[in-house]
Amino acid sequence: NPNYTHCMTYNNAIPFTHTGMSFDVSDLIPGDSVGLTFYAVNGWDSYIDNTEGKSFGFYLTYAPNDDFFASLATIHGPEKMSDSQSESDNTSMYNVVITYALPQVTRTSLGFDWNHGYMEDRRTAGHVGGAVGNGSSGAHWWATAGYAMIDFTDNQMGALRYEYYNDDDGAKGFDYSLWTLTYTHNITIADNVMVRPEIRHNNYNLQSSNEHAHGDKGNTFDSETIIGVGVEYIF
């Protein structure tokens, strides 16, 4: 992570932990640039499964050289994110990551992250953008992030990150969207010591209670700026 704090997608758009089995079949693919792993897990962020089904997915990577990397990860299964969901409701998502070190620009590299997910029968009637009438419908969430990393000197690297997270459907329980801009200055002061001052600005687009109840447009906004510093020692 080139930034000291994690992206919002790290624990909110994607599974944070898995318990299950993975099968690396990369050796069956000719060449060294492609990697492929299949997995079957109990679910999202749970070591004891709360549904009878399992979730399945794969992780595909492509790295033709030291300057370029791309990956696609996906997961699908009958996940129960809340008591209001049926055990048969399917939850799916995919994640795309691309990094590229610019050979024509000295000491500069870029990164891109995209996430999109869908839950069956998660969005209830009356919710902003929800189903009309009684019952419920599927809910989407999505998030993206962009990175720019520059090595100013041999011991100083700056990392700028912009991210946008949208959960207006309430799929993940937030019911709002936000964007964040973060800058971290990584300073290596010794072979095993790094100081990481950081400034981060979060801007929240909160749905008002009237909008949830009546479908009226009445968004409210809130923001915060956080300044911090981390010190890392590598043993």
Side-chain angles (χ1 to χ4, degrees), residues 28-86:
L28 302 178
I29 303 174
D32 298 327
S33 60
V34 178
L36 180 61
T37 301
F38 295 97
Y39 50 88
V41 296
N42 277 341
W44 288 41
D45 304 330
S46 61
Y47 64 95
I48 298 177
D49 203 355
N50 62 350
T51 65
E52 295 181 358
K54 303 301 179 183
S55 286
F56 300 90
F58 66 84
Y59 179 58
L60 176 67
T61 62
Y62 176 63
N65 51 58
D66 293 337
D67 295 328
F68 182 83
F69 172 86
S71 68
L72 170 65
T74 184
I75 186 171
H76 175 84
E79 294 306 323
K80 185 178 180 182
M81 297 294 180
S82 69
D83 293 336
S84 63
Q85 284 183 277
S86 167

Side-chain angles (χ1 to χ4, degrees), residues 9 13-14 71-73 93-98 112-117 141-146 164:
T9 62
I14 64 175
S71 68
L72 170 65
M93 78 152 299
Y94 68 93
N95 163 256
V96 176
V97 173
I98 299 174
F112 172 77
D113 182 20
W114 169 261
N115 307 268
H116 178 253
W141 77 94
W142 61 273
T144 187
Y164 183 85

Side-chain angles (χ1 to χ4, degrees), residues 100-205:
Y100 182 52
L102 301 174
Q104 68 273 25
V105 181
T106 305
R107 300 175 178 266
T108 301
S109 57
L110 302 176
F112 172 77
D113 182 20
W114 169 261
N115 307 268
H116 178 253
Y118 176 79
M119 293 183 186
E120 287 183 344
D121 298 330
R122 174 63 169 166
R123 183 170 54 178
T124 58
H127 192 286
V128 54
V132 178
N134 296 325
S136 59
S137 65
H140 295 263
W141 77 94
W142 61 273
T144 187
Y147 297 81
M149 295 150 285
I150 303 176
D151 292 324
F152 296 110
T153 65
D154 290 339
N155 64 342
Q156 295 193 46
M157 188 269 282
L160 181 66
R161 177 183 66 204
Y162 173 82
E163 55 184 302
Y164 183 85
Y165 182 86
N166 185 295
D167 187 38
D168 287 342
D169 286 353
K172 302 292 287 181
F174 290 96
D175 294 350
Y176 61 78
S177 60
L178 67 87
W179 63 264
T180 297
L181 187 64
T182 306
Y183 176 77
T184 309
H185 198 77
N186 300 286
I187 307 170
T188 302
I189 60 176
D191 290 340
N192 54 353
V193 179
M194 178 181 292
V195 179
R196 312 183 75 184
E198 180 178 273
I199 182 169
R200 174 171 179 154
H201 179 78
N202 300 324
N203 190 85
Y204 305 90
N205 179 7

